[in-house]
Amino acid sequence: MLGLRGGGLVRGLRAVAPAWLRGSCGLSLAPARTAWASSARDWRDPITGPPHGRALSLSAAAVVNSAPRPLQPYLRLMRLDKPIGTWLLYLPCTWSIGLAAEPGCFPDWYMLSLFGTGAILMRGAGCTINDMWDRNFDKKVLRTANRPIAAGDISTFRSFVFLGGQLTLALGVLLCLNYYSIAMGAASLLLVVIYPLMKRITFWPQLALGLTFNWGALLGWSAIKGSCDPAVCLPLYFSGIMWTLIYDTIYAHQDKKDDALIGLKSTALLFRENTKKWLSGFGVAMLGALSLAGANSAQTLPYYAAVAAVGAHLAHQIYTVDIHRPEDCWDKFTSNRTVGVLLFIGIVLGNLWKEKTEETKTPEDVRVEH
């Protein structure tokens, strides 16, 4: 429950003077490209250009822009105008909650809404922590200079206070759960704090992100059942980590040249031209783990159909992605919301199918079973 780092550099170029040429990884001038590659790259924080008109829009960015002006810097600090990170954080929670539902029943809507609120708050807290870590460097680079803390719209002290407010509200959400889940949720805070540092010290920051972003795969089940079932929760958690390695490696290829220039690390730089082989391996591991989680939770045909659809979607991503074209990397990355939603729908339908299977049994079948 936290945020993701910054989006493709191309989107930021649309917000600067027309004299700059739009490139696939950054500005066409090398010094400008280097400036864009901030170590403060926020968590899934795509830079979007100014609106081309005044048409009514219900997009997240439009909603933030319509908020009272004093409130806008805080909403942007939370990245409420860029919701893709919240989706990728929230979806593993929905998988777990769905799998934990009683046979023939829909997922617990109260828990889904509670975890959705928590995802928004903790992603906002993660983005705030990220900007606080990197506030001094953000001031020196074009792409990050307009972030609320770097631009001086929010002071360091106020950002601490705001972070405390977000964490307090998130604690309020957590306290609505059972004691087991409260302890598990509190344990995730360490991952939230240290993730922004991983790109400085390891080529596997995407693994750290996977451990962090998929914590909800454990927490959702325990919130419903009272504790984790390792036979279901661990394969589900592992599958989420593999999924994160796929989408965040694709994402990282947008910034690989700039990362290399300023000394940041990523799986994109580690895998290089072997990226598709690695991603294929992660995809196979994800599908295997999802199948195991389904078997251990007595899932039915719709679930496995959804797993097959997820596999087809991932195969298309991996086969068609152009890792040297940032626009395509961004498109493939954002399409992973569809992956998560497909799996959730399969879980819900698979659970409803369980009841249908029971109802279609004849009295003779029931007698045989007993």
Side-chain angles (χ1 to χ4, degrees):
M1 298 179 175
L2 33 97
L4 289 167
R5 68 167 194 262
L9 300 178
V10 167
R11 294 162 184 78
L13 298 181
R14 298 190 183 115
V16 298
W20 294 104
L21 295 176
R22 295 177 184 174
S24 63
C25 279
L27 301 181
S28 59
L29 300 181
R33 290 181 67 245
T34 303
W36 276 84
S38 160
S39 65
R41 238 192 295 322
D42 185 30
W43 299 356
R44 299 290 80 81
D45 177 20
I47 306 300
T48 56
H52 295 289
R54 292 292 182 178
L56 178 63
S57 173
L58 294 179
S59 69
V63 171
V64 169
N65 289 336
S66 66
R69 189 169 297 276
L71 188 60
Q72 289 184 22
Y74 294 94
L75 300 181
R76 291 194 173 95
L77 183 59
M78 294 180 70
R79 306 302 187 264
L80 288 186
D81 54 332
K82 304 170 179 72
I84 181 61
T86 303
W87 275 107
L88 295 175
L89 175 63
Y90 176 55
L91 284 166
C93 305
T94 69
W95 303 345
S96 189
I97 293 171
L99 285 173
E102 292 298 320
C105 297
F106 284 98
D108 188 319
W109 300 109
Y110 171 72
M111 283 296 176
L112 288 173
S113 62
L114 202 64
F115 274 73
T117 303
I120 293 171
L121 291 169
M122 286 306 296
R123 191 220 175 189
C127 291
T128 303
I129 292 171
N130 186 85
D131 284 11
M132 289 167 63
W133 275 118
D134 298 318
R135 61 188 182 276
N136 293 327
F137 191 76
D138 283 350
K139 298 174 183 178
K140 303 174 182 178
V141 298
L142 180 60
R143 187 179 65 84
T144 58
N146 63 348
R147 288 180 179 169
I149 297 178
D153 296 329
I154 302 176
S155 68
T156 302
F157 174 75
R158 288 186 177 182
S159 66
F160 271 110
V161 173
F162 185 57
L163 175 62
Q166 292 175 88
L167 293 177
T168 299
L169 291 174
L171 177 61
V173 172
L174 189 62
L175 291 177
C176 294
L177 308 180
N178 55 62
Y179 290 122
Y180 184 98
S181 300
I182 291 172
M184 178 167 288
S188 69
L189 187 59
L190 178 62
L191 292 171
V192 176
V193 173
I194 67 173
Y195 164 70
L197 300 176
M198 292 298 102
K199 55 184 173 284
R200 296 167 171 84
I201 63 176
T202 177
F203 280 103
W204 291 90
Q206 283 69 32
L207 177 59
L209 181 66
L211 293 170
T212 306
F213 253 56
N214 294 283
W215 200 258
L218 306 175
L219 195 58
W221 181 282
S222 70
I224 301 295
K225 298 290 191 180
S227 63
C228 283
D229 180 355
V232 178
C233 295
L234 291 183
L236 189 65
Y237 184 49
F238 178 79
S239 69
I241 294 171
M242 295 298 103
W243 183 42
T244 303
L245 283 168
I246 293 170
Y247 68 65
D248 205 51
T249 297
I250 292 174
Y251 175 85
H253 270 284
Q254 296 176 106
D255 306 318
K256 58 190 175 186
K257 294 181 180 179
D258 303 289
D259 286 347
L261 286 173
I262 64 176
L264 295 181
K265 300 176 175 65
S266 71
T267 48
L269 288 175
L270 180 65
F271 300 157
R272 298 183 183 276
E273 295 303 319
N274 291 320
T275 290
K276 292 191 176 185
K277 295 179 181 178
W278 280 91
L279 298 188
S280 298
F282 295 147
V284 170
M286 177 185 178
L287 297 176
L290 287 175
S291 299
L292 180 59
N296 291 340
S297 59
Q299 271 295 333
T300 55
L301 179 62
Y303 173 84
Y304 295 104
V307 171
V310 165
H313 196 293
L314 291 175
H316 177 264
Q317 281 189 58
I318 295 169
Y319 180 76
T320 63
V321 65
D322 184 347
I323 61 174
H324 302 298
R325 195 162 67 89
E327 300 98 325
D328 190 51
C329 290
W330 174 256
D331 290 340
K332 296 300 190 299
F333 162 72
T334 56
S335 73
N336 278 278
R337 178 171 58 183
T338 302
V339 171
V341 171
L342 278 174
L343 184 58
F344 176 64
I345 292 173
I347 290 170
V348 173
L349 295 180
N351 212 46
L352 295 176
W353 187 276
K354 293 179 184 179
E355 184 68 15
K356 181 180 178 181
T357 302
E358 292 293 327
E359 289 177 349
T360 56
K361 290 181 179 179
T362 65
E364 183 178 347
D365 292 331
V366 173
R367 286 195 299 270
V368 169
E369 290 180 357
H370 288 81

